[in-house]
Amino acid sequence: ADGILNFQWRQSRAGAEAFHGAMVPHRGTESATWDEVVDLGTDLSEIDRAAVGPMKAQVAIMWDWDSAWYQRYSPGPVDEPVAQNELRAWHASLFERGQLVDFVHPESDLTGYQLIIVPALFQVRHGLAARLKDSGATVLVTCHTGYVGEDGHAIEGGYLGELGDLLGVRVREISPLGVEPTILGRPEPLTPTTDPVSSAVNTPAAEHEVPLACPDGQPFPGEGLDWAERIVPDASVEVVATFGDSDQAGCPAITVNGSAWYVATHLDSLARTALLDRILPEAAALPAGITSMTRGN
């Protein structure tokens, strides 16, 4: 490492962090923690300095706070921080692969990346589709993208706006599958005994997991979560997975148009991994918990 920081030196005796770990704990130097700190210092003094030089990320995740705020404080279509949730989910999957990731703004320089993930970019500004195409990267866009334009007004004629041409799809309708609505009072679980009407029609939340299927009918690894979009793909678009159940059964869930992928639901970790396995080169075989990064040219 270029540097190692331990927080903190001496464990506090009182206050909110009284039991926060420290190099010198309440027991003092007669403790296992202090012995480990001393051993670490000895080991560090005997090894060479870490290699120097930049690390070049091949993958970027697009993030825009303005877009996230538009979605979070919009009166619909869902009352949850979708952008943050999608961002964390895809970054988690990349982290588990040992993948170095840059975070980029829609107006950042996008050249040089192998893969650009656009998770739930609610607001799409003019020119983004062209810039993504010109980057030469594989592009993966997820649901909740392109619902409003740069003026904050809803995009008419099918969501995704100009990104629809790049992806070869249009979002025709949206379907919250298992999103819990905001309920005044105290929400209680539904039971057939006391709620014979609502429980029979699975209200307020129909389902939280939706199976995915390959075009040949075989199951696609993992599931869709909470949300579905009914998309209309162009004739040239390959359907990689469909919804296997619910009102969207048989409708496209994952598509690819050349090197532009679209995901019309939230994917669980197994489905995200299966998709990344198709898009990114196979990760190096290393022991669990170990990652490898290359510095310099």
Side-chain angles (χ1 to χ4, degrees):
D2 290 326
I4 294 179
L5 171 67
N6 282 284
F7 181 83
Q8 51 192 335
W9 167 246
R10 189 180 298 278
Q11 196 170 19
S12 301
R13 294 178 59 193
E17 295 186 349
F19 295 96
H20 193 298
M23 299 170 73
V24 184
H26 293 149
R27 176 64 178 170
T29 57
E30 296 182 8
S31 63
T33 299
W34 174 254
D35 292 341
E36 292 171 359
V37 169
V38 173
D39 290 343
L40 175 61
T42 301
D43 292 341
L44 291 177
S45 67
E46 295 175 352
I47 63 176
D48 294 332
R49 176 180 171 82
V52 296
M55 290 191 292
K56 174 60 179 173
Q58 300 299 314
V59 178
I61 296 179
M62 187 167 289
W63 179 254
D64 181 5
W65 275 111
D66 286 342
S67 174
W69 290 331
Y70 263 114
Q71 184 275 318
R72 189 69 183 93
Y73 299 107
S74 168
V78 59
D79 185 25
E80 65 176 271
V82 175
Q84 288 94 325
N85 292 345
E86 282 288 274
L87 173 81
R88 293 187 178 104
W90 285 97
H91 182 264
S93 293
L94 292 165
F95 170 79
E96 295 297 342
R97 297 173 69 90
Q99 188 76 51
L100 184 64
V101 177
D102 282 347
F103 291 93
V104 296
H105 187 268
E107 296 179 1
S108 298
D109 181 4
L110 304 179
T111 58
Y113 292 108
Q114 179 180 352
L115 171 64
I116 300 173
I117 298 178
V118 184
L121 187 66
F122 194 70
Q123 180 190 47
V124 171
R125 297 185 180 92
H126 178 67
L128 177 59
R131 298 179 66 252
L132 286 170
K133 183 177 181 180
D134 292 342
S135 72
T138 296
V139 176
L140 190 155
V141 180
T142 79
C143 58
H144 286 277
T145 293
Y147 281 27
V148 302
E150 52 193 306
D151 57 2
H153 295 180
I155 293 176
E156 296 183 315
Y159 299 132
L160 286 175
E162 64 178 44
L163 290 181
D165 295 334
L166 174 68
L167 299 164
V169 300
R170 294 287 178 181
V171 177
R172 181 180 179 183
E173 294 172 322
I174 56 177
S175 176
L177 297 174
V179 178
E180 299 284 355
T182 301
I183 303 174
L184 297 177
R186 182 170 63 250
E188 298 178 329
L190 301 175
T191 63
T193 302
T194 59
D195 310 291
V197 176
S198 295
S199 60
V201 294
N202 298 316
T203 304
E207 51 205 330
H208 287 281
E209 297 87 21
V210 180
L212 303 174
C214 297
D216 62 2
Q218 296 297 313
F220 186 88
E223 295 180 312
L225 303 173
D226 296 334
W227 189 264
E229 295 172 337
R230 181 162 295 190
I231 61 176
V232 181
D234 295 341
S236 60
V237 170
E238 176 188 352
V239 176
V240 176
T242 63
F243 292 104
D245 201 351
S246 79
D247 293 340
Q248 311 294 336
C251 295
I254 303 174
T255 62
V256 60
N257 182 37
S259 60
W261 296 74
Y262 190 67
V263 181
T265 184
H266 306 303
L267 298 179
D268 67 7
S269 60
L270 185 59
R272 294 194 305 270
T273 297
L275 188 52
L276 289 173
D277 284 343
R278 293 191 54 165
I279 297 175
L280 288 173
E282 184 176 353
L286 295 171
I290 303 296
T291 60
S292 176
M293 302 291 176
T294 301
R295 288 185 179 272
N297 299 324

